[in-house]
Amino acid sequence: MITYSLAIIVVLVVALIFSMFKILREYERAVVFLLGRFYEVKGPGLVIIVPIIQQMVRVDLRTIVLDVPTQDLITKDNVSVHVNAVVYFKVVDPKMAINNVENYLEATSQLSQTTLRSVLGQHELDELLSAREELNRDLQGILDQHTDNWGIKIANVEIKHVDLDDSMVRALARQAEAERSRRAKVIHATGELEASAKLQEAARELNKSPNAIQLRYFQTLTEVANERTSTIVFPLPINLIDKLSGDDMVEMAKLKVQQEVNKHNGRKSDQ
């Protein structure tokens, strides 16, 4: 019996000695309590914990990805949307993360949900769809401020999805179509304004040289003559005729008379 008792005692002592040694990975820390009071933070590597009088709580220092569940909220312009997000955070102070909050993971998750609803509810739908970077920064700043006493650092917040009702999607499509039509009209009007300004500038330049308008008309006639049309109607300003000399007018009158005579002789020969 004595030998059996000694063997049990030896086994217990060996097991107790082995239980004193803890191995922590590079990303782990041990928050050690001595008789219920905080003692120190140990790790990584080999850590010695005295049984019974010391207790240890492991803390992971890696970045944690927290998926925020879909939240139903109403925007500032009274539009019902469904929004979900993802939060990236990590523990930077193991002592505060264990002593200041019961469960830092659950606390951060609940805080993220309430902050997402309260912050996004203060913005309109257009801002929610177009200004995500600014909203992400606002969410990150608010969460980081509240979790600072928990020894947690919010690395990033990203809004993943903004789901709308079908009726609202159709309304947004009509709004986008109207906006594109408005832009097309504005661009067309701007082009007309620029074209009129260029035409006025060209008219001033042509007005400086009276012969320039004649050259321009001749060039236009040349371009029109290349078209395969049987009849060409070309307007001729009166002021252009006034600039012709008197001799030119006489020659034109003679040419007209000669053409009439030739037509009359041609009709006689046909008879």
Side-chain angles (χ1 to χ4, degrees), residues 196-210 212:
S196 62
K198 292 298 181 181
L199 288 174
Q200 291 179 2
E201 183 180 354
R204 286 193 296 267
E205 293 296 329
L206 291 174
N207 193 34
K208 294 179 182 179
S209 178

Side-chain angles (χ1 to χ4, degrees), residues 17 19-22 32 40 42 46-51 54:
I17 293 175
S19 65
M20 295 175 57
F21 299 98
K22 306 292 183 181
V32 181
E40 64 176 342
K42 295 184 178 181
L46 181 63
V47 176
I48 298 176
I49 301 297
V50 180
Q54 287 185 340

Side-chain angles (χ1 to χ4, degrees), residues 94-147:
K95 173 185 174 181
M96 298 177 66
I98 297 301
N99 293 328
N100 293 356
V101 62
E102 180 181 1
N103 187 337
Y104 63 88
L105 183 60
E106 181 66 20
T108 305
S109 176
Q110 295 297 325
L111 179 63
S112 301
Q113 297 178 36
T114 56
T115 303
L116 186 67
R117 289 195 298 268
S118 61
V119 172
L120 298 186
Q122 300 174 3
H123 297 270
E124 296 182 355
L125 179 62
D126 292 339
E127 297 176 353
L128 191 60
L129 296 176
S130 61
R132 289 196 180 185
E133 294 295 332
E134 182 179 354
L135 294 176
N136 291 337
R137 288 193 296 268
D138 292 342
L139 290 171
Q140 178 182 355
I142 295 174
L143 289 175
D144 199 23
Q145 180 180 2
H146 285 81
T147 58

Side-chain angles (χ1 to χ4, degrees), residues 200-229:
Q200 291 179 2
E201 183 180 354
R204 286 193 296 267
E205 293 296 329
L206 291 174
N207 193 34
K208 294 179 182 179
S209 178
N211 296 326
I213 188 63
Q214 300 181 24
L215 295 176
R216 182 59 181 165
Y217 262 84
F218 292 152
Q219 181 181 359
T220 306
L221 282 173
T222 303
E223 295 176 357
V224 173
N226 292 330
E227 299 293 335
R228 295 181 179 180
T229 56

